[in-house]
Amino acid sequence: MSKISNWCAGWAPHLLSVLRIITGFLFMEHGTMKLFGFPAPMGDIPLLSLMGLAGTLEVVGGFLILVGLFTQPVAFVLSGEMAFAYFMAHAPQGFWPVLNHGEPAALYCFIFLYLAAAGGGSWSVERIFRR
């Protein structure tokens, strides 16, 4: 194994955590926009609606992903939410994600699917509890 491969292998668990933290933070923003109108308002979205449920999953699930708690089951649920969002909201507008504005939903879906398989990485609350 080369020096670069060794270095990359050593950093992989940490970079997995960085991916998880950034993804959770960015995902929470979608929910806070729906539920709290922050950082930008999305209009009046009733809590007991499909968008309200999505906002709740995005805020709560995004926070759990951010801190690395229950990462695998939460990431699996959020992956399903994003697949549902893609096929309900974006796919009917056309085939190409770049044209139907579904790229974020598709990326989140597969990032969360990866986190569901890989776990939270070395910098997670789960890891503290496992020690």
Side-chain angles (χ1 to χ4, degrees), residues 28-78:
M28 280 179 58
E29 285 183 312
H30 293 277
T32 59
M33 284 174 55
K34 289 177 181 87
L35 298 181
F36 311 119
F38 178 81
M42 285 190 71
D44 189 26
I45 296 175
L47 189 58
L48 297 176
S49 68
L50 199 53
M51 287 290 278
L53 174 61
T56 303
L57 284 171
E58 290 160 5
V59 170
V60 174
F63 177 76
L64 291 172
I65 293 293
L66 174 70
V67 299
L69 186 60
F70 307 117
T71 301
Q72 291 176 298
V74 170
F76 184 77
V77 169
L78 296 180

Side-chain angles (χ1 to χ4, degrees), residues 7-111:
W7 182 86
C8 289
W11 274 94
H14 305 304
L15 292 176
L16 171 60
S17 291
V18 171
L19 175 68
R20 176 187 48 77
I21 291 164
I22 297 301
T23 301
F25 174 74
L26 294 174
F27 197 65
M28 280 179 58
E29 285 183 312
H30 293 277
T32 59
M33 284 174 55
K34 289 177 181 87
L35 298 181
F36 311 119
F38 178 81
M42 285 190 71
D44 189 26
I45 296 175
L47 189 58
L48 297 176
S49 68
L50 199 53
M51 287 290 278
L53 174 61
T56 303
L57 284 171
E58 290 160 5
V59 170
V60 174
F63 177 76
L64 291 172
I65 293 293
L66 174 70
V67 299
L69 186 60
F70 307 117
T71 301
Q72 291 176 298
V74 170
F76 184 77
V77 169
L78 296 180
S79 176
E81 178 201 0
M82 289 294 94
F84 183 81
Y86 182 82
F87 287 108
M88 288 292 294
H90 302 285
Q93 297 177 32
F95 178 76
W96 299 106
V98 70
L99 298 178
N100 68 26
H101 306 286
E103 288 174 296
L107 280 170
Y108 277 124
C109 177
F110 285 99
I111 290 171

